[in-house]
Amino acid sequence: MTGPTYRDAVAADLPTIIAMLAEEQIGGRKDDPSEPLDPVYLAAFEAIDGDPRQRLIVAELDGAIVGTMQLSWLPGLVNRGAWRGQIEAVRIAADKRALGLGAAMIGWAVERFRESGCFMAQLTSNNDRAAAHRFYERLGWKKSHAGFKLMLTKGD
């Protein structure tokens, strides 16, 4: 097996991306991948795609999408105006887990942040994803902060 390749997602990738996210949806709505794609996803994709500080990435293996993640570049005043890289919504297709793809994806993302001068990379992970926490710790990530959420809408 050769390693994955990475590219920016295109709108046609959305059904595959949404299906991967739905495999492990925590604390939110779980869409049925057999249903037509809700137009809100295309609007969200267009907002991400149109923002130079955002990238929606897909990882491909042998021509098939096997992973996804969103990368964000965050400016800040902390650390003398240093930039941070944020990694969100990391998913590997269920039938491709335990092949080292997640570690490769995270490593690739960290290198993009290094290349652009970020002083740190950060991510959040739902408290219920204990296996994901162990994964990130094996990669050398440290738990450093407690996160809080305030839901602003009721949702579906």
Side-chain angles (χ1 to χ4, degrees):
M1 173 180 84
T2 61
T5 58
Y6 306 95
R7 64 174 173 79
D8 290 285
V10 296
D13 299 327
L14 286 174
T16 304
I17 293 169
I18 299 308
M20 275 191 287
L21 294 173
E23 286 175 355
E24 207 174 331
Q25 185 70 29
I26 295 173
R29 183 178 154 182
K30 200 169 194 176
D31 287 313
D32 181 348
S34 67
E35 297 284 323
L37 196 62
D38 190 319
V40 298
Y41 290 117
L42 183 56
F45 170 79
E46 289 171 347
I48 294 165
D49 195 49
D51 184 338
R53 294 181 183 164
Q54 304 289 327
R55 290 182 73 186
L56 182 60
I57 301 297
V58 293
E60 291 182 319
L61 194 59
D62 300 324
I65 296 173
V66 296
T68 187
M69 63 186 162
Q70 182 175 340
L71 308 181
S72 303
W73 281 258
L74 307 172
L77 296 176
V78 175
N79 290 299
R80 301 177 50 88
W83 285 70
R84 291 169 289 134
Q86 175 82 21
I87 305 172
E88 289 288 334
V90 178
R91 296 294 190 280
I92 300 293
D95 65 337
K96 299 297 183 195
R97 294 183 188 146
L99 299 176
L101 298 172
M105 279 177 49
I106 295 297
W108 184 87
V110 167
E111 284 308 308
R112 302 297 73 78
F113 294 141
R114 268 198 189 102
E115 290 169 358
S116 62
C118 290
F119 89 103
M120 76 178 311
Q122 62 188 30
L123 56 84
T124 59
S125 181
N126 189 291
N127 285 331
D128 294 337
R129 298 185 74 214
H133 298 185
R134 289 190 301 274
F135 165 75
Y136 292 122
E137 288 169 345
R138 280 194 310 273
L139 296 181
W141 292 70
K142 306 288 184 229
K143 288 184 180 180
S144 64
H145 292 70
F148 299 89
K149 290 183 180 181
L150 176 64
M151 301 311 288
L152 303 178
T153 63
K154 285 188 175 192
D156 299 22

